[in-house]
Amino acid sequence: MLQTIQGIYKNGKIELAETPQGITESQVFVTFLEIKPTIWPEIVMEYQGVSEGIKFESYRNELLPPNEIDF
């Protein structure tokens, strides 16, 4: 039976988010997903808008950085 469990690769080890059910030993394949930035690029933060202005420009300081992929 195939199972997919989320985990994190850190310092040479894989940390699983949960324990696989009914598996005591098994071969595995590990796929590393593309890492998305967790902060806005500097060019976005330095953007001052256009002379006509855009309504959402006034909310610049309330913007949250992009999140990583949620599984």
Side-chain angles (χ1 to χ4, degrees):
M1 173 174 70
L2 297 177
Q3 289 188 43
T4 301
I5 296 177
Q6 184 177 352
I8 296 175
Y9 175 79
K10 183 188 215 178
N11 297 326
K13 296 181 180 179
I14 296 173
E15 299 174 7
L16 298 178
E18 60 186 274
T19 302
Q21 296 296 314
I23 298 177
T24 56
E25 184 176 323
S26 176
Q27 293 183 335
V28 298
F29 291 100
V30 177
T31 302
F32 291 91
L33 303 175
E34 180 181 351
I35 296 175
K36 300 289 182 183
T38 57
I39 58 171
W40 289 98
E42 198 62 36
I43 192 167
V44 171
M45 296 309 293
E46 291 175 358
Y47 180 71
Q48 297 297 314
V50 293
S51 58
E52 296 89 34
I54 300 174
K55 288 184 180 182
F56 64 79
E57 278 296 311
S58 62
Y59 296 101
R60 173 188 300 279
N61 293 333
E62 297 176 27
L63 292 175
L64 298 174
N67 290 327
E68 303 230 359
I69 300 172
D70 291 330
F71 292 96

